[in-house]
Amino acid sequence: MRARDVMSSPVITLRMDTPVSAAAALLVSHGFTSAPVVDAENRVVGIATESDLVRGRIRPEGWPPDERAEPLVGAVMTPSPVGMRPEDDLADVVELMLGKRLRSVPIVEDGELVGIVTRRDVLRAVARRELTSEDVWRRRAGEPDAARGEVIGS
């Protein structure tokens, strides 16, 4: 199976000049744990994770309020995230995710963001028992799954 078989596309992205609270609201509203940060040419320059957006924002009870201006995503994001290509083997993407404890991996083609593979995308494929590219494409085409005697996707 390839990354393109399970990746989410199009991708919800952030810009470096997005305020942290707006980025957090976007992740919450979509149920995401991270979002790629892209430049004007849609090239990935970072990734903003839940941890990035929360770190240092909640102060202990009794501490004075933080009077500094709200930070922007560019100041808190994880820069230069590891990306993979649509044709990369999904097993390699999963190995990277598990080995480096990543929740998502941007999928880049010719330098441009084309998708993202999240743990949820992979878990969805496992839950559907789609363990090969052929399984995915049969479901998308609505063809019967001989192994289960049913039409996938219905």
Side-chain angles (χ1 to χ4, degrees):
M1 186 175 316
R2 303 289 170 204
R4 73 175 155 262
D5 295 327
V6 301
M7 72 181 190
S8 297
S9 181
V11 183
I12 300 294
T13 61
L14 298 169
R15 300 286 183 178
M16 290 181 63
D17 61 351
T18 304
V20 164
S21 61
L26 185 72
L27 292 186
V28 168
S29 70
H30 288 283
F32 297 153
T33 60
S34 63
V37 181
V38 297
D39 64 14
E41 286 79 40
N42 205 35
R43 289 186 301 248
V44 180
V45 296
I47 194 159
T49 67
E50 292 169 320
S51 296
D52 295 330
L53 300 175
V54 167
R55 191 174 291 113
R57 301 293 297 157
I58 306 299
R59 298 177 62 85
E61 188 72 31
W63 282 32
D66 187 351
E67 300 295 332
R68 295 176 292 179
E70 180 177 12
L72 302 178
V73 166
V76 301
M77 71 180 188
T78 301
S80 305
V82 177
M84 296 195 80
R85 300 168 304 169
E87 64 273 8
D88 285 338
D89 194 309
L90 185 60
D92 293 333
V93 177
V94 171
E95 182 178 334
L96 172 69
M97 292 171 80
L98 295 175
K100 295 206 177 270
R101 297 181 138 185
L102 304 174
R103 293 179 179 243
S104 60
V105 175
I107 305 300
V108 179
E109 188 168 43
D110 298 326
E112 188 174 325
L113 180 68
V114 295
I116 192 165
V117 173
T118 67
R119 288 183 185 177
R120 182 163 294 167
D121 295 326
V122 176
L123 191 60
R124 186 178 301 113
V126 170
R128 290 178 176 162
R129 294 186 280 175
E130 295 175 349
L131 303 179
T132 67
S133 294
E134 184 178 324
D135 293 338
V136 172
W137 293 106
R138 272 191 288 133
R139 177 187 50 80
R140 290 179 182 168
E143 294 180 13
D145 181 2
R148 295 191 297 250
E150 61 190 40
V151 174
I152 301 173
S154 61

